[in-house]
Amino acid sequence: MRILILGPQGSGKGTQAKLMAATYGVPHVATGDILREAIAAGSELGRRVRPIYERGDLVPDELMIDLIRERLADEEGFVLDGFPRTVPQAEALDEMLGEIDKPLDVVLLLDVSDEVALRRLLGRLEEEGRSDDTPDAARNRLRLYHELTEPVVDRYRAVGRVVTVDGEQAVDQVAAAIEDALRVGSRRP
Ligand code: AMP
């Protein structure tokens, strides 16, 4: 199963991606987690991306594309979370998967308002202490989502691949809605 999950930060993507990864027995590939690990380890990648990450800006496309190409190279299935965030990243992903004839099975969009997303992001400040959950960085990330990632959603929507789920419901309700959506999706010829 190859699943792409899209939605703004604070939409509950990470939580749902982990649940789906466990259900389907595939890795949860989250670019934000990969970057946080690199930052924590103080690797060359980590040192390079840290200031960008802390401002809530986007890491350059080429760097992210190389990273994901390497990470997905030997995977049959995955739940991809946090990538693609820009149209060039989406083009690269489609090309990558096209070359090996392993297209995405489904693109899920978790729909939440900016108000809910921002409230959740700022709530996470206290719980997880993420260094990019400051009010300024959180607002910046939402702005970039609308500007650069929504065109990615439109791109997949144009080819009819997007299933939208209301992300403002409770975690288990969202999980149930996703399960229904995937069941319907897999019945399609
Ligand atoms: P996330 O955990 O997905 O919210 O990602 C946290 C931060 O990592 C983002 O605000 C960006 O700085 C960076 N990041 C993660 N994925 C990408 C990506 N695909 N393209 C560019 N930057 C990314």
Side-chain angles (χ1 to χ4, degrees):
M1 193 71 159
R2 285 177 294 276
I3 302 171
L4 169 62
I5 187 159
L6 296 170
Q9 295 87 342
S11 61
K13 259 183 315 141
T15 304
Q16 297 299 333
K18 281 191 192 83
L19 290 172
M20 285 189 283
T23 304
Y24 292 101
V26 293
H28 171 212
V29 177
T31 44
D33 289 350
I34 297 172
L35 297 177
R36 276 185 287 281
E37 274 163 29
I39 291 171
S43 66
E44 197 194 320
L45 171 70
R47 283 198 299 274
R48 193 164 159 204
V49 302
R50 183 176 190 150
I52 305 173
Y53 174 94
E54 290 189 343
R55 285 194 303 271
D57 281 336
L58 291 186
V59 172
D61 285 338
E62 314 79 72
L63 209 161
M64 294 309 302
I65 291 167
D66 286 349
L67 198 147
I68 216 70
R69 189 186 295 280
E70 201 173 301
R71 180 63 188 82
L72 295 185
D74 299 315
E75 300 293 1
E76 276 301 313
F78 50 79
V79 180
L80 189 54
D81 163 13
F83 183 99
R85 260 183 162 86
T86 65
V87 168
Q89 290 183 14
E91 287 168 352
L93 177 69
D94 289 351
E95 194 187 305
M96 231 179 271
L97 296 177
E99 271 166 21
I100 50 174
D101 199 23
K102 290 181 187 162
L104 294 168
D105 292 301
V106 65
V107 179
L108 282 171
L109 171 66
L110 286 191
D111 194 25
V112 300
S113 65
D114 278 4
E115 200 190 337
V116 169
L118 203 55
R119 198 178 331 123
R120 288 184 182 166
L121 282 176
L122 297 178
R124 207 156 69 181
L125 223 181
E126 283 145 41
E127 282 168 35
E128 295 176 16
R130 269 176 59 154
S131 60
D132 63 341
D133 279 343
T134 61
D136 281 350
R139 276 191 202 94
N140 191 30
R141 284 154 62 207
L142 277 179
R143 181 182 64 77
L144 290 173
Y145 177 80
H146 290 303
E147 199 177 304
L148 299 172
T149 310
E150 254 166 14
V152 172
V153 178
D154 294 341
R155 191 171 182 275
Y156 285 114
R157 208 177 255 139
V159 287
R161 309 247 294 281
V162 178
V163 177
T164 304
V165 169
D166 174 4
E168 294 192 0
Q169 312 171 82
V171 172
D172 52 347
Q173 286 173 310
V174 177
I178 288 178
E179 219 171 277
D180 283 350
L182 293 182
R183 208 174 303 125
V184 171
S186 64
R187 272 210 305 270
R188 284 198 196 115

